[in-house]
Amino acid sequence: MPKHHVEPFLTEEEVDKKIQEIGDRISRDYKGKNVHMICVLKGGAFFMCELAKRITVPVSLDFMYVSSYGSGTESSGNIKIVKDLDEPLDGKDVIIVEDIIDSGRTLSRLMELLSARNPKSLKLCTLLDKPDRRVVDVKVDYTCFEIPDEFVVGYGLDYDQMYRNLPYIGIVKFD
Ligand code: IMP
Ligand code: MG
């Protein structure tokens, strides 16, 4: 790993406050319904747990692990399902929960795959969004933070599998 350090970017308090706001919005938008949340592993796990705790309508959870293989650090539109969902989506109000949307390639392909499973509705919620990096258009329904084009870690996000457990979000700076 090249020599680097992590600079604080969003504090734990800022992230928690924003997750509470998004949780309140989802609870209002889904009043009288059940929410079926799909966590995209591994990055989305921390965010989904915190978000689910703050939603007041009935929530069920499922997990999916997809790998998108491209060259180096660029994702491609080709995704491989490493771990599929345990339950069908027919007739459910589904929210996909992601850590970050970068090029949008992975998510747009995933949305296609999942909408073919006949959910009643399908929405997308992300902790972070880097709009400047978008290559494929994806409609994001709930975004906690739009961030500049920097490589971030913490709150589930990794740099070579490290730093997922940081309770805040930091920017990786190369020394
Ligand atoms: P894309 O939107 O298909 O380009 O890929 C998004 C995925 O790339 C995310 O789910 C992350 O796994 C990873 N990723 C993109 N930007 C970052 C970052 O700043 N830090 C950590 N992982 C990132
Ligand atoms: Mg990810």
Side-chain angles (χ1 to χ4, degrees), residues 68 75-76 98-107 130 133 147 150-153 157-159:
S68 76
S75 65
S76 72
E98 253 288 18
D99 52 354
I100 188 164
I101 303 173
D102 188 36
S103 73
R105 288 189 183 101
T106 312
L107 252 292
K130 291 188 204 170
R133 296 263 306 167
I147 63 165
E150 299 271 10
F151 196 81
V152 290
V153 291
L157 290 137
D158 72 302
Y159 172 40

Side-chain angles (χ1 to χ4, degrees), residues 114-132:
L114 297 184
S115 56
R117 298 185 186 182
N118 299 312
K120 187 164 157 221
S121 65
L122 182 61
K123 289 198 177 178
L124 177 56
C125 177
T126 188
L127 178 61
L128 304 171
D129 187 0
K130 291 188 204 170
D132 298 345

Side-chain angles (χ1 to χ4, degrees), residues 2 16 21 31 42 48 54 56 65 72 81 89 91 95 98-99 121-122 127 131 141-142 150-151 154 165:
D16 287 356
E21 280 172 35
K31 196 160 186 275
K42 305 172 188 165
M48 176 155 102
R54 291 164 173 89
T56 53
Y65 192 174
I81 299 179
L89 300 182
I95 303 180
E98 253 288 18
D99 52 354
S121 65
L122 182 61
L127 178 61
D141 301 283
Y142 303 99
E150 299 271 10
F151 196 81
N165 60 316

Side-chain angles (χ1 to χ4, degrees), residues 18-151:
K18 188 58 87 171
I19 294 177
Q20 181 68 56
E21 280 172 35
I22 297 290
D24 290 343
R25 259 179 67 197
I26 292 175
S27 301
R28 280 198 302 275
D29 293 353
Y30 287 81
K31 196 160 186 275
K33 299 178 183 172
N34 291 15
V35 180
H36 189 62
M37 295 172 82
I38 293 177
C39 172
V40 185
L41 293 168
K42 305 172 188 165
F46 288 70
F47 175 42
M48 176 155 102
C49 294
E50 292 305 318
L51 182 63
K53 278 158 57 180
R54 291 164 173 89
I55 293 175
T56 53
V57 298
V59 169
S60 52
L61 307 175
D62 206 346
F63 297 84
M64 190 164 191
Y65 192 174
V66 298
S67 72
S68 76
Y69 39 106
S71 56
T73 54
E74 289 291 300
S75 65
S76 72
N78 305 319
I79 63 173
K80 187 173 140 221
I81 299 179
V82 181
K83 185 226 169 288
D84 205 342
L85 299 171
D86 291 333
E87 287 156 61
L89 300 182
D90 308 74
K92 293 182 180 152
D93 289 304
V94 176
I95 303 180
I96 301 176
V97 181
E98 253 288 18
D99 52 354
I100 188 164
I101 303 173
D102 188 36
S103 73
R105 288 189 183 101
T106 312
L107 252 292
S108 86
R109 188 71 193 103
L110 187 61
M111 296 285 277
E112 268 173 33
L113 275 174
L114 297 184
S115 56
R117 298 185 186 182
N118 299 312
K120 187 164 157 221
S121 65
L122 182 61
K123 289 198 177 178
L124 177 56
C125 177
T126 188
L127 178 61
L128 304 171
D129 187 0
K130 291 188 204 170
D132 298 345
R133 296 263 306 167
R134 200 72 92 255
V135 176
V136 181
D137 201 29
V138 279
K139 183 174 167 283
V140 190
D141 301 283
Y142 303 99
T143 303
C144 290
F145 300 96
E146 286 194 354
I147 63 165
D149 181 12
E150 299 271 10
F151 196 81

